[in-house]
Every structure is written in C-alpha cells, then in structure tokens.
Amino acid sequence: MSTGCTTGALPFQGAAGHEVVARFYGGTLTSDGGAVLLRAVDRATNLLGQFAACFTDHRDPTRVTHSVAALVRQRVYGLALGYEDLNDHDAIRHDPLMAVLAESADLAAPGAGKSTLNRLELTGATVGTDARYKKITVDHDAVDRLFVDVFVQAHPTPPTAIILDLDATDDPIHGAQEGRFFHGYYGHYCYLPLYIVGGEHLLCARLRPSDRDASAGALEEVPRIVAQLRAVWPEMAITLRTDSGFCRDALMTWCETHAVDYVFGLAKNARLIALITDELADAATADGDGTSNPRFVVTSRAIADVDARTLYEAVYCARGEMENRIKEQPLMLFADRTSAAKLRANQLRLYFSSVAYLLLAALRRLGLAGTALAKAQCTTIRLTLLKIGARIRVTVRKVWLALASGCPHAALFAQVHANRQRW
C-alpha cells in the first residue's frame, strides 16, 4: 500500500503570504520530553523499584527480553503521561524516551507491546507448571504495605498527628467482569473501590464488588495501616474521618479500644431531628425560607477540645480536599479502566493507576513546592511539565533531548530541575 499520504507534503491554508506545508520528516521526536522530571523523582524515591519488587518473575531468564522492572515502569509511566490503554503501548514502545524511562539496557530496542503487558496483568495468584505465557505474579499484600511505606518515606520528620480519610466511589463497568453487580444508589453496574487517603498521600486502593455496604473492608484495612504506621511512629495521634457510609459501631468501637480518634458523618433520622427542634426553628427564622438541612457528626473528641462549629466546619468539611485526590484517580489516571475479566487483574490495574498517582504526587511535593503548581492536579502537571515536544538523539555516551524552544513553561521546568538539589 502506498505511504505517500504520510511521507509526502501535506499542504494547508497559507498564512501571511506563506504556504503552510506539513510533512512527517522531523526525525526522532517525542511529545513527552518533560517526563525526565518524573524519572528524576523516581530516582530520588525509588518508588517504581519498590513497586517492581512486589512482583515475582517465573520466566526462563534466557528467554526474557523485558525485565519485570522495565514492564512495570513502562506501564506506570504510560498512565502518568496520559496513555490509558494497553493498546497505546504498541505505538509508544518505539519512542526512545520510553526506553530511557523504563531503564532499558538497549535504548535502540522497542519496549514491550500490549500483549506482553497484558500477560503481566492476567497472571493469577500462582503460576502453574503448565503456564506458557502468564508467569509474573504480584504480591497484593506487599503492594498494600508499599503504599504505607511511601507515606512514611515522604516524612523525614515524623508528623505529630495525621487524619486518615476513608471513602468509597463507583467504578462503572460495562462487561461481564467478575464481581459485577448493579448498585442502586449509583444506578449502574460498577465496582465499589475503597480509598484511604492521608493528606495528598494514597494509603489504600482496594477494588471491591458493589454488592456490599460502603464500609465493607474498612475494619480490615484501617487496623493494618494503623499498625504499620505505629510501628514507625508510636506516639503519633491518628484520627479517622469519613462520611455516614462508614459510621458503623464496629469501626467506632475499634477506634475507641485502639486510641484512634474519629470524626464521622452521621445520617439524619427522626430521632435526631427531634432532638434539635428548637435549633431548627431558630435556623429557619434566620434563613427566612423555612427550609432546613441539618448535618450530624459523631466524634470521639471531647467538647472541651473542640466546639461543635469548629468540629464540623474546620475538621469534618476539610475532607472535601480528600475527595479531590480520589477524583484524580479515575478522571486523570484512568483507575476506571477495569475491563479485564477477573477481579484480581482489575485490582492490579488499580494498583498501576495508584502508583502513577504517587509518582505525580511526589513530583508535586518535591519539585513544585513554592511554585504556582504547588497544589496543581495531575492533569495540569502533565500538560504543563510533561507534554513537551522534544527531538531525541542517542549517541555513544549521551541521550540528548532538544526541548521545544517555544515551551511556555520553560522557566518553571528549569526551576523544578533546580529543586532536585533538595530531593
């Protein structure tokens, strides 16, 4: 088939008396030149090295082209750079910059294609003797511990107190995936992942079927995380904060018996409303429209320590920032791409997305402190600092990146690079 449509001249409307002609002859270019900043962050934190250590490779070493570490890096960097599907890797595997990011031994060789990466995701908990292709297993418990380890590593100075936010959200699914159920509240078939967040740090991302209470699994995940944190910081004060979906006696009882404070939203009911009839009447008079929307919060904290208004407005409502962190997962890092048939495979996809978030959050924390993007969301960071056109030239001793001269954020890029001295 003729390839003239891509190798020949492609004319467009003229501009200022000049012809405008496009042609695919620019050389070896990448649209992700800024990703070297992410690589610098990974080098400083060893995040992806720690993540790769959670995998066990059962392949014959003499027949391996792409190491587990290279596969893991390629998958995570792909998500961080906006490539949401495995199919995307059949194209980006030929980008020499991806070989740099994956720490490949041969920068001229293409990276892994979609089929190899797919086998990585589809391997079961164990590898049978008759397995031909799916031979890389992942230890889910090790990944869960890693998330907490990363949180600890990000705090050179132990914090005196932290708040752990819990929340559930919907992950719509459109096939016959394992664990598929219809959820009446959300009105569609979905998973119901559980997230636990500490500030901007993700400490747990657990994929769950949606045929259960929103709090399901919290009584397993919270003790695990608290125990791991207290093993390092035994004196640190810990508070759980969440909405009424997690306001359950068992979870509150556990907190009270393990010296963990809690601030939980409490669903309103007739008995609670009856206790505040005078307050509602005063509020309706002051508001003037006769409507009311009372909110209830239950806490282990003494009223002598914090008044009700401060508890609600300054403590409980601050959980809204946690919801922004959770929204970054599906909206910006493709945590909802859970189309594999098995729940275990989809959990691994959620892990990949979560680690991509941790990598971008580390760039935000380490490189963007004190800049205009200190609180930027992942998409803003990606479009501002990572999506930079560049020409790549690989010589015997160096990889040259000629970043676009017209990049509007060159000064910010240079500032982040200068911040590397403090990492």
Side-chain angles (χ1 to χ4, degrees), residues 51-375:
F51 184 38
C54 300
F55 293 77
T56 301
D57 193 351
H58 298 276
R59 297 175 297 175
D60 181 351
T62 64
R63 299 186 178 185
V64 171
T65 301
H66 307 289
S67 68
V68 169
L71 295 175
V72 167
R73 285 191 173 94
Q74 183 178 328
R75 187 73 169 100
V76 173
Y77 278 119
L79 291 167
L81 293 170
Y83 301 104
E84 58 189 279
D85 287 321
L86 286 174
N87 291 345
D88 297 326
H89 287 267
D90 273 2
I92 63 174
R93 65 193 289 253
H94 298 287
D95 186 339
L97 183 61
M98 185 56 69
V100 173
L101 299 177
E103 309 287 351
S104 299
D106 183 358
L107 299 182
K114 63 178 184 297
S115 298
T116 302
L117 292 169
N118 192 44
R119 292 168 191 154
L120 173 69
E121 296 183 349
L122 297 183
T123 306
T126 59
V127 173
T129 57
D130 59 340
R132 295 187 61 189
Y133 303 112
K134 305 179 184 68
K135 296 185 177 183
I136 302 174
T137 58
V138 60
D139 184 343
H140 285 201
D141 291 339
V143 179
D144 294 337
R145 291 191 298 270
L146 170 63
F147 286 176
V148 183
D149 286 340
V150 170
F151 177 79
V152 172
Q153 293 162 11
H155 292 82
T157 301
T160 58
I162 63 169
I163 294 178
L164 300 181
D165 286 297
L166 291 76
D167 206 359
T169 187
D170 65 319
D171 173 7
I173 55 179
H174 307 284
Q177 290 97 315
E178 181 183 21
R180 171 182 183 268
F181 289 97
F182 186 87
H183 196 285
Y185 176 81
Y186 293 109
H188 51 235
Y189 288 90
C190 62
Y191 288 128
L192 193 68
L194 167 66
Y195 286 100
I196 301 179
V197 179
E200 68 171 7
H201 298 270
L202 183 63
L203 286 89
C204 175
R206 175 70 64 233
L207 195 64
R208 307 172 299 175
S210 61
D211 63 333
R212 58 202 59 197
D213 185 76
S215 67
L219 205 51
E220 289 76 39
E221 304 296 346
V222 169
R224 171 183 64 80
I225 292 172
V226 169
Q228 192 172 344
L229 290 174
R230 283 188 168 160
V232 184
W233 300 320
E235 303 301 322
M236 181 181 63
I238 300 176
T239 299
L240 293 192
R241 180 173 60 190
T242 187
D243 61 17
S244 59
F246 290 81
C247 190
R248 302 293 183 266
D249 179 69
L251 189 55
M252 290 186 285
T253 299
W254 183 91
C255 290
E256 291 166 355
T257 56
H258 290 82
V260 173
D261 279 321
Y262 57 84
V263 179
F264 292 171
L266 182 63
K268 61 185 176 183
N269 56 52
R271 184 173 181 180
L272 291 174
I273 296 294
L275 294 174
I276 58 169
T277 53
D278 293 340
E279 289 82 356
L280 287 177
D282 292 341
T285 301
D287 192 47
D289 63 0
T291 62
S292 64
N293 184 23
R295 302 298 179 92
F296 297 90
V297 174
V298 58
T299 183
S300 61
R301 298 180 62 177
I303 195 169
D305 296 334
V306 58
D307 64 273
R309 182 168 188 165
T310 300
L311 180 72
Y312 178 72
E313 295 182 352
V315 180
Y316 179 76
C317 288
R319 66 184 297 274
E321 183 60 22
M322 169 273 301
E323 294 180 347
N324 289 333
R325 301 285 77 79
I326 291 179
K327 288 175 183 176
E328 287 184 277
Q329 312 296 314
L331 297 179
M332 305 175 191
L333 292 161
F334 321 112
D336 58 348
R337 305 298 288 184
T338 47
S339 57
K342 297 295 184 180
L343 182 63
R344 179 180 177 84
N346 287 321
Q347 174 66 68
L348 180 52
R349 288 188 173 187
L350 182 59
Y351 282 149
F352 280 130
S353 171
S354 299
V355 174
Y357 167 79
L358 291 176
L359 187 61
L360 284 165
L363 174 59
R364 178 169 55 203
R365 182 180 72 254
L366 297 175
L368 295 172
T371 73
L373 296 187
K375 296 185 179 297

